[in-house]
């Protein structure tokens, strides 16, 4: 099995007088195991299910194979600090 490297992307856009920082992490879809670039800034909540994590976003949801712990670790690597309650 090929080792998968985790790629974390932080991309800063300059639009007019505003700077927008986007926090991207690489995740894998639960169904077809496709690699996706996920924008953490759109995340509303996430909950663990049996074989996947359901991420609710501003516009819908995405089921991914990564655990909540893996998503938290990737978010820390991206430079984004999330509140843990």
């Amino acid at each position: 099995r090929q080792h998968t490297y985790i790629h974390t992307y932080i991309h800063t856009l300059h639009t007019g007088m505003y700077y927008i920082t986007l926090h991207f992490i690489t995740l894998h879809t639960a169904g077809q195991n496709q690699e996706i670039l996920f924008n953490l800034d759109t995340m509303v909540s996430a909950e663990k299910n049996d074989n996947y994590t359901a991420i609710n976003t501003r516009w819908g949801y995405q089921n991914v194979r990564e655990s909540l712990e893996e998503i938290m670790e990737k978010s820390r690597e991206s430079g984004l600090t999330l509140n843990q309650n």
Side-chain angles (χ1 to χ4, degrees):
R1 182 173 133 154
Q2 182 180 3
H3 180 71
T4 303
Y5 291 93
I6 299 169
H7 300 285
T8 304
Y9 302 92
I10 299 176
H11 182 67
T12 302
L13 300 174
H14 175 60
T15 56
M17 297 184 342
Y18 301 97
Y19 285 91
I20 303 168
T21 301
L22 304 175
H23 301 92
F24 290 102
I25 59 174
T26 303
L27 298 175
H28 297 86
T29 60
Q32 297 181 357
N33 197 33
Q34 295 177 328
E35 187 174 74
I36 59 171
L37 191 59
F38 188 82
N39 182 353
L40 290 171
D41 299 316
T42 66
M43 182 185 288
V44 175
S45 65
E47 59 185 70
K48 181 180 171 148
N49 289 309
D50 292 332
N51 298 321
Y52 62 92
T53 300
I55 299 175
N56 294 302
T57 70
R58 295 178 195 162
W59 302 281
Y61 69 94
Q62 178 70 54
N63 295 330
V64 297
R65 72 172 191 184
E66 285 79 8
S67 68
L68 291 173
E69 293 79 18
E70 290 171 310
I71 294 169
M72 288 298 297
E73 180 59 33
K74 289 180 180 191
S75 72
R76 287 186 199 99
E77 291 172 3
S78 78
L80 182 64
T81 303
L82 299 176
N83 292 330
Q84 277 188 300
N85 294 328

